[in-house]
């Protein structure tokens, strides 16, 4: 539901969010009350020591105070369990209960302070009683401190501006006043987000590029979050419901809506060749991450293998390679790629906003000059990722409407300048003039590699790119079509990044709002069932349904109530993607896409020694919606992708004659 309004301002917590913290506090308070009561009853005969009368009074008042607090918290939990996310009516007494609960903190703090002062004077009574008082005071201050931290967390800096208006928006205002209000709120939200980002990234630097990135990121967040009145737990419940809904739809579609066909020999051979290339070049994309990924992949032996390179001073072998800030990275790069010092032309780990680390090496096995661009590894890289508005790209080609992700475009332009202006590629091709240029990268590096390939297409017509788990919001439609002839992207499972764009995030927000509006169960039940479902699996249709009624032709009243300010950008249309703001037009992933999907695992915890995967060429439309699941983040990890490629390539090599291997099934919605 919308955030609660207390003390004249909105807070980032809803009235149905107090079930779990309330139950936890009840558990602690009841145990505490029983312990104090037992202590008093068993030792009241030993309170004839100096100050014993005051101590006895202290314990009696504490027992009564705890009983009152337990009753108040019990009422808060019971009221918080009522209603649904979009029906807060049964919880209308929550604000009064919270005022009472907060008022009880005053005598509790006074009594905790008296207990602390009494302990400071020294305990002269029974030792057990003294230890009990010390524990009581400690628990009191821990709970008070936890409450203060919680208040800080749920404090909404914009709450004072949003509280005067009802959740459905200021419809009583005319269009001009409403527009002014929305613009003022958006400006304030942008300022708040920029302050938060600067605080989190205080060590990044304060140059002009960084300030631009701060502004771009703040504007993105304010644009995305400013038109809804959801609290974090609403989003968590919506994601849980969407996951079950997606699984239910997929299970119902499988018997009737999966069409099988046998791919042609040329398509199968092309897929095999590109898979082998992906398997080979993924080593370079992983090597670009340097020692952190290598140690993560080899936790027991990695440090021993590259430790010598970290400790020894720079040798003459290093002098053969151009670059900077190598540190421990070079040893891990050598171990990952299997190349020698002399095979590297340039290795740079210079890292700033819009400036990515990269390496250039000679790959004699494939007769190629490989440029590998690193993915996200630092706060600077995250700011590059989040500079998500589109900007025109100046290319030496006949493609019209060339637009791309601003942050990644800037990063690709930086690598382009280094390769061309510093003569790095000229040096590489002077050594191996007959080799082909291949550019690779993972995640953010994949997006930069794809744009860099497009930029280098004119001087190097034979250039190829292998983009591993690239972001979806990268290229305009025309550039996407243009890139199909020389870029291959690889996506694993439900990886969220190849489905991530501003357009898809808007669509996800709309689906969350709708699934919450359909929901007729309390939030705490949704979250409990979601935890069970994620941990132990099962069939979503076997669970008590939270989604009743099927498709609606008109938006629910509850769905409208979750819009904070009646945003005109929000659409209630069925399943069509939302219209993006002008600054964030629809963008697409690069090149042709190979999709690896895990098959043959029924539970969350597989007992099989290795997962098995199906492989097929996929259209970009299959990645037009964000899929919710436990592997949506882990499928993006480079080590998981490398293991999947190892499994796929070995399976296909062992079963080259299987008629159903690799892309033999095509799913249609």
């Amino acid at each position: 539901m919308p955030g609660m309004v207390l003390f004249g301002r909105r807070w980032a917590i809803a009235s149905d969010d107090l079930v779990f913290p309330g139950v936890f506090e009840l558990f602690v308070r009841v145990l505490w009350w029983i312990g104090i009561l037992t202590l008093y009853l068993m030792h009241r005969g030993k309170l004839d020591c100096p100050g014993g009368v005051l101590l006895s009074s202290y314990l009696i008042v504490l027992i009564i105070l705890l009983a009152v607090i337990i009753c108040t918290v019990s009422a808060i939990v019971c009221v918080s369990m009522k209603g649904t996310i979009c029906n807060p009516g049964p919880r209308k007494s929550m604000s009064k209960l919270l005022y009472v609960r907060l008022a009880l903190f005053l005598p509790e703090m006074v009594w905790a302070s008296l207990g602390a002062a009494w302990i400071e004077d020294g305990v002269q009574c029974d030792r057990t009683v003294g230890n009990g008082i010390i524990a009581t005071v400690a628990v009191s201050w821990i709970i008070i401190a936890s409450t203060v931290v919680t208040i800080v967390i749920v404090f909404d800096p914009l709450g004072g501006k949003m509280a005067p208006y009802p959740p459905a928006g200021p419809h009583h205002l005319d269009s001009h006043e409403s527009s002014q209000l929305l613009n003022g709120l958006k400006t304030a939200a942008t300022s708040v987000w920029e302050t938060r980002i600067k605080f989190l990234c205080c060590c990044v630097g304060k140059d002009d590029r960084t300030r631009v990135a701060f502004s771009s990121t703040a504007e993105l967040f304010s644009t995305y979050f400013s038109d809804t009145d959801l609290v974090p737990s609403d989003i968590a419940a919506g994601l849980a419901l969407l996951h079950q809904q997606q699984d239910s739809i997929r299970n119902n579609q499988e018997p009737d809506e999966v069409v099988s066909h046998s791919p042609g020999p040329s398509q199968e051979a092309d897929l095999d060749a590109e898979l082998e290339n992906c398997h080979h070049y993924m080593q370079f994309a992983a090597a670009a991450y340097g020692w952190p990924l290598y140690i993560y992949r080899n936790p027991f032996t990695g440090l021993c293998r590259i430790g010598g390179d970290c400790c020894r001073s720079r040798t003459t072998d290093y002098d053969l390679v151009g670059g900077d800030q190598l540190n421990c990275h070079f040893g891990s790069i050598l171990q990952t790629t299997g190349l020698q010092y002399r095979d590297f032309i340039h290795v740079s780990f210079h890292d700033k906003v819009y400036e990515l680390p990269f390496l250039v090496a000679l790959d004699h096995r494939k007769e190629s000059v490989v440029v590998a661009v690193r993915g996200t590894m630092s706060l600077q890289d995250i700011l590059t990722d989040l500079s998500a508005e589109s900007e025109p790209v100046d290319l030496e080609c006949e493609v019209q409407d060339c637009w791309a992700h601003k942050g990644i475009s800037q990063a690709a332009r930086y690598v382009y300048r280094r390769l061309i202006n510093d003569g790095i590629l000229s040096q590489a091709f002077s050594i191996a003039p007959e080799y082909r240029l291949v550019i690779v990268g993972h995640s953010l590096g994949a997006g930069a590699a794809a744009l860099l390939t497009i930029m280098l297409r004119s001087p190097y017509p034979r250039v190829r790119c292998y983009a591993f788990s690239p972001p979806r919001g990268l290229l305009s439609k025309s550039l996407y079509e243009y890139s199909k002839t020389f870029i291959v992207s690889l996506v694993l499972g439900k990886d969220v990044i190849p489905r991530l764009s501003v357009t898809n995030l808007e669509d996800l927000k709309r689906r969350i709002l709708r699934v919450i509006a359909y929901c007729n169960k309390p939030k705490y039940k949704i979250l409990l069932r979601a935890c069970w479902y994620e941990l132990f699996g099962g069939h979503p249709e076997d669970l008590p349904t939270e989604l009743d009624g099927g498709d609606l032709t008109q938006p629910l009243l509850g769905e409208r109530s979750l819009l904070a300010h009646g945003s005109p950008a929000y659409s209630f249309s069925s399943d069509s993607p939302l219209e993006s703001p002008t600054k964030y037009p629809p963008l697409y992933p690069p090149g042709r896409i190979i999709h690896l999907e895990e098959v043959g695992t029924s539970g969350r915890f597989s007992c099989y020694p290795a997962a098995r995967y199906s492989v097929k060429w996929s259209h970009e439309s299959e990645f037009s919606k964000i899929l919710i699941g436990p592997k949506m983040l882990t499928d993006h990890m480079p080590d998981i992708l490398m293991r999947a490629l190892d499994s796929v390539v070995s399976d296909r090599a062992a079963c080259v004659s299987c008629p159903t291997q690799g892309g033999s099934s095509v799913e249609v919605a």
Side-chain angles (χ1 to χ4, degrees):
M1 66 162 290
M4 282 192 297
V5 176
L6 295 171
F7 304 106
R9 66 178 303 117
R10 178 193 181 275
W11 298 78
I13 188 171
S15 58
D16 54 357
D17 284 338
L18 303 174
V19 176
F20 298 118
V23 168
F24 178 75
E25 184 180 357
L26 269 180
F27 176 76
V28 173
R29 297 277 185 182
V30 169
L31 287 182
W32 183 9
W33 184 80
I34 292 174
I36 295 298
L37 182 62
T38 303
L39 180 70
Y40 176 74
L41 294 176
M42 293 182 64
H43 296 274
R44 61 181 173 180
K46 302 177 181 179
L47 298 178
D48 54 354
C49 55
V53 176
L54 291 176
L55 178 58
S56 178
S57 302
Y58 177 86
L59 292 176
I60 292 173
V61 173
L62 181 60
I63 290 171
I64 296 172
L65 180 61
L66 283 175
V68 174
I69 292 175
I70 288 171
C71 293
T72 305
V73 174
S74 299
I76 289 174
V77 171
C78 291
V79 172
S80 187
M81 288 180 173
K82 297 179 180 179
T84 64
I85 296 177
C86 290
N87 180 25
R91 301 188 297 271
K92 60 184 178 181
S93 61
M94 178 60 73
S95 58
K96 297 177 182 177
L97 288 172
L98 285 177
Y99 287 135
V100 172
R101 177 65 190 92
L102 291 173
L104 288 173
F105 272 111
L106 181 60
E108 186 174 16
M109 290 179 66
V110 171
W111 226 239
S113 300
L114 289 176
W118 184 79
I119 291 172
E120 184 69 21
D121 292 338
V123 180
Q124 299 178 3
C125 292
D126 184 77
R127 187 183 182 119
T128 303
V129 176
N131 291 336
I133 299 300
I134 293 173
T136 294
V137 173
V139 172
S140 295
W141 284 110
I142 289 173
I143 291 179
I144 292 170
S146 301
T147 303
V148 172
V149 171
T150 302
I151 290 173
V152 171
I153 292 174
V154 302
F155 178 78
D156 185 353
L158 297 174
K161 298 178 181 294
M162 298 172 66
Y165 302 102
H171 296 302
H172 62 284
L173 303 178
D174 60 38
S175 59
H176 178 68
E177 291 176 328
S178 178
S179 177
Q180 283 186 327
L181 172 65
L182 292 174
N183 290 335
L185 286 171
K186 185 175 180 181
T187 301
T190 302
S191 177
V192 167
W193 277 108
E194 188 165 353
T195 302
R196 290 171 175 171
I197 294 165
K198 287 180 178 179
F199 175 77
L200 292 173
C201 304
C202 57
C203 58
V204 169
K206 296 183 179 179
D207 56 76
D208 290 340
R209 283 174 169 248
T210 304
R211 283 192 286 269
V212 171
F214 285 157
S215 299
S216 298
T217 305
E219 188 166 355
L220 173 65
F221 283 158
S222 64
T223 300
Y224 186 70
F225 291 109
S226 62
D227 63 344
T228 58
D229 196 4
L230 297 175
V231 298
S233 61
D234 294 337
I235 298 174
L239 292 175
L241 291 171
L242 278 179
H243 182 206
Q244 297 178 41
Q245 184 186 55
Q246 289 172 356
D247 286 354
S248 177
I249 292 173
R250 187 181 67 248
N251 292 344
N252 292 334
Q253 284 181 342
E254 283 178 351
D256 302 322
E257 301 187 37
V258 175
V259 181
S260 298
H261 72 271
S262 298
S266 60
Q267 184 181 1
E268 184 73 11
D270 182 39
L271 182 60
D272 281 332
E274 295 296 7
L275 269 176
E276 200 280 328
N277 286 334
C278 288
H279 182 252
H280 176 77
Y281 287 116
M282 182 62 201
Q283 309 299 321
F284 291 88
Y289 282 99
W291 67 263
L293 178 60
Y294 184 79
I295 296 295
Y296 177 76
R297 292 181 59 213
N298 304 275
F300 301 110
T301 61
L303 190 59
C304 298
R305 293 177 182 176
I306 67 172
D309 293 296
C310 298
C311 299
R312 75 167 68 104
S313 58
R314 187 179 177 107
T315 65
T316 54
D317 290 327
Y318 279 70
D319 293 330
L320 298 175
V321 182
D324 48 51
Q325 302 182 27
L326 297 182
N327 301 327
C328 303
H329 295 302
F330 210 161
S332 66
I333 292 172
L334 294 173
Q335 292 286 341
T336 303
T337 60
L339 301 182
Q340 304 297 319
Y341 286 99
R342 61 178 178 272
D343 296 326
F344 288 88
I345 305 299
H346 192 92
V347 179
S348 172
F349 278 87
H350 168 81
D351 188 15
K352 293 182 68 177
V353 177
Y354 303 150
E355 298 177 3
L356 300 179
F358 67 97
L359 63 87
V360 181
L362 299 178
D363 178 17
H364 302 295
R365 177 184 164 190
K366 292 286 187 178
E367 296 188 344
S368 58
V369 174
V370 180
V371 178
V373 186
R374 196 189 73 180
T376 303
M377 276 282 288
S378 66
L379 289 175
Q380 292 92 327
D381 299 335
I382 293 174
L383 289 173
T384 301
D385 285 317
L386 294 175
S387 298
E389 63 263 37
S390 298
E391 70 172 14
V393 182
D394 185 17
L395 300 172
E396 297 179 6
C397 64
E398 297 180 355
V399 181
Q400 302 296 320
D401 297 325
C402 297
W403 291 79
H405 182 290
K406 175 186 174 180
I408 301 178
S409 175
Q410 295 280 346
R413 183 66 63 182
Y414 161 77
V415 180
Y416 176 87
R417 289 195 301 267
R418 292 290 307 275
L419 294 177
I420 300 300
N421 298 346
D422 294 356
I424 298 173
L425 284 185
S426 299
Q427 180 185 352
F429 283 105
S430 68
I431 300 173
E434 73 282 4
Y435 281 14
R436 162 185 265 183
L437 178 61
V438 176
I439 305 176
V440 303
H442 172 265
S443 187
L444 169 63
L451 275 167
L452 179 61
T453 303
I454 296 173
M455 295 173 183
L456 291 170
R457 177 74 167 166
S458 180
Y460 298 94
R462 297 174 60 218
V463 66
R464 296 279 295 177
C465 174
Y466 292 93
F468 302 98
S469 307
R472 175 177 177 83
L474 184 65
L475 305 175
S476 61
K477 184 72 171 179
S478 57
L479 277 180
Y480 157 68
E481 296 291 346
Y482 173 68
S483 67
K484 285 183 178 180
T485 57
F486 54 90
I487 297 178
V488 172
S489 294
L490 184 75
V491 178
L492 174 63
K494 291 185 177 181
D495 186 353
V496 67
I497 300 301
R499 298 173 169 87
L500 195 61
S501 66
V502 176
T503 306
N504 283 7
L505 281 173
E506 283 288 339
D507 175 68
L508 177 65
K509 179 170 67 176
R510 178 190 61 78
R511 289 189 287 141
I512 288 175
L513 290 173
R514 173 146 294 197
V515 80
I516 287 175
Y518 274 118
C519 173
N520 63 354
K521 297 292 188 295
K523 190 192 298 182
Y524 78 95
K525 288 187 178 180
I526 299 171
L527 296 176
L528 284 175
R529 289 170 182 163
C531 291
W532 179 272
Y533 186 73
E534 298 298 339
L535 289 173
F536 304 107
H539 298 287
E541 56 268 20
D542 293 338
L543 297 173
T545 178
E546 291 94 8
L547 304 172
D548 293 343
D551 292 334
L552 294 180
T553 56
Q554 297 295 328
L556 295 178
L557 179 61
E559 189 173 1
R560 289 192 182 276
S561 72
L562 294 171
L563 293 175
H565 310 295
S567 171
Y570 185 82
S571 168
F572 290 103
S573 60
S574 56
D575 287 329
S576 60
L578 295 176
E579 293 290 336
S580 289
T582 307
K583 205 167 189 178
Y584 305 103
L587 297 178
Y588 300 85
R592 296 183 297 162
I593 303 173
I594 298 175
H595 191 198
L596 277 59
E597 290 187 280
E598 188 173 349
V599 296
T601 55
S602 57
R604 293 293 184 268
F605 307 104
S606 175
C607 298
Y608 300 105
R612 298 180 63 86
Y613 297 89
S614 65
V615 189
K616 64 177 182 178
W617 289 109
S618 295
H619 190 264
E620 61 83 17
S621 60
E622 297 184 39
F623 305 93
S624 61
K625 283 192 176 183
I626 295 174
L627 300 181
I628 310 302
K631 293 188 176 182
M632 61 187 294
L633 297 179
T634 57
D635 280 348
H636 186 68
M637 298 298 292
D639 59 309
I640 303 294
L641 182 56
M642 293 176 76
R643 286 204 295 268
L645 276 171
D646 290 340
S647 173
V648 167
V649 171
S650 61
D651 285 351
R652 292 177 74 87
C655 189
V656 293
S657 61
C658 292
T660 61
Q661 179 71 20
S664 60
S665 66
V666 177
E667 297 181 5
V668 294

